Amino acid sequence: MAARTVLVVDDEPNIREIVGGYLRRDGFDVVEAGSGEDALAAFARERAALVVLDVRLPGIDGLETLRRLRQTSDVPVLLLTARAEEADRIVGLEVGADDYVTKPFSPREVAARVRAILRRGDAGAAPETLGAGPLVVDLAAREVRLDGRPVTLTALEFDLLAALASAPGRVFTRRQLIERVWGWDFYGDERIVDVHVRKLRRALDDPADSPALILTVRGVGYKLAAP
């Protein structure tokens, strides 16, 4: 693969060294930072293609670092969280993280997640328009319009909507959506789909208690309402 830069942020040098080594082996350039402040400065300087971000950082913690990144960029972010800190994972996904890995983790898994996230971002350039009824998903421009007005989505939200819009009326299981959006080599809780569906509904003004666009099929998954 062509070299792309990954910013690895962790206050433990040995973790940065191990994760960075696996990423370099996969052909990535790696920039390291040991704090939130250093991470923000490094990102402004390097404009990395992806950020691996530990939640528990000294000073500005990982979640606040993520919030500040999201003020200026939709760069993909992979969170590193403690196994017991489920709240951190949920808040991180709500703030705008694309995925997470719990500590202790395999650095091989982190590298696989990075490849999967970046592969998703590379896959959305087909010159095709999808949609149903008032919803239009322009894959080439990566733009969404609802009733003619533009809708602002994160990269992951766009990919999730594009997966659903590829077959309006068809029910997708969580596993099918994970394979299409996160990649077949995703390891983690399938509830990550539910979190991003909630965010996507919010962006589309599609109320969760009575959605008209993204419908829940209980015990199965989700579908985009057919016109």
Side-chain angles (χ1 to χ4, degrees):
M1 67 176 71
R4 284 186 285 184
T5 300
V6 177
L7 173 59
V8 178
V9 188
D10 198 294
D11 62 329
E12 298 184 45
N14 62 317
I15 290 181
R16 298 199 305 269
E17 180 181 357
I18 293 170
V19 171
Y22 272 80
L23 291 171
R24 291 184 182 96
R25 188 191 65 181
D26 282 353
F28 294 103
D29 291 330
V30 176
V31 176
E32 299 180 13
S35 68
E37 294 90 341
D38 289 346
L40 293 170
F43 183 76
R45 186 173 63 250
E46 301 289 343
R47 305 303 293 183
L50 184 142
V51 179
V52 177
L53 178 62
D54 185 29
V55 170
R56 298 300 182 185
L57 293 173
I60 300 175
D61 68 15
L63 295 178
E64 179 58 27
T65 301
L66 175 58
R67 289 188 183 95
R68 297 189 187 188
L69 281 173
R70 283 290 171 260
Q71 292 174 1
T72 59
S73 174
D74 64 351
V75 61
V77 174
L78 175 65
L79 286 182
L80 305 179
T81 74
R83 188 174 301 279
E85 301 297 335
E86 181 179 9
D88 285 345
R89 298 196 291 273
I90 298 301
V91 172
L93 293 171
E94 292 284 359
V95 171
D98 294 81
D99 199 355
Y100 66 85
V101 175
T102 56
K103 293 182 176 181
F105 56 78
S106 160
R108 190 175 291 110
E109 177 187 356
V110 174
R113 296 284 189 94
V114 168
R115 291 194 305 270
I117 292 170
L118 292 176
R119 195 162 56 240
R120 289 201 309 266
D122 292 340
E128 186 178 356
T129 298
L130 304 173
L135 183 68
V136 176
V137 181
D138 187 332
L139 297 179
R142 293 186 68 82
E143 295 176 348
V144 174
R145 291 188 174 273
L146 181 62
D147 289 322
R149 64 175 178 82
V151 178
T152 301
L153 300 178
T154 67
L156 191 144
E157 289 164 2
F158 180 91
D159 292 339
L160 179 57
L161 181 59
L164 293 166
S166 68
R170 170 185 166 181
V171 180
F172 290 89
T173 67
R174 289 173 179 81
R175 174 48 52 184
Q176 287 171 330
L177 289 171
I178 283 173
E179 290 177 356
R180 282 172 171 250
V181 178
W182 281 263
W184 64 268
D185 49 1
F186 171 85
Y187 303 99
D189 193 334
E190 291 185 1
R191 289 179 299 175
I192 192 173
V193 176
D194 302 334
V195 172
H196 286 287
V197 165
R198 286 200 301 271
K199 295 172 64 178
L200 184 54
R201 281 173 169 160
R202 200 155 50 231
L204 295 171
D205 294 325
D206 196 29
D209 55 350
S210 58
L213 292 172
I214 301 175
L215 307 181
T216 301
V217 181
R218 292 194 180 281
V220 183
Y222 298 96
K223 69 177 179 178
L224 183 69

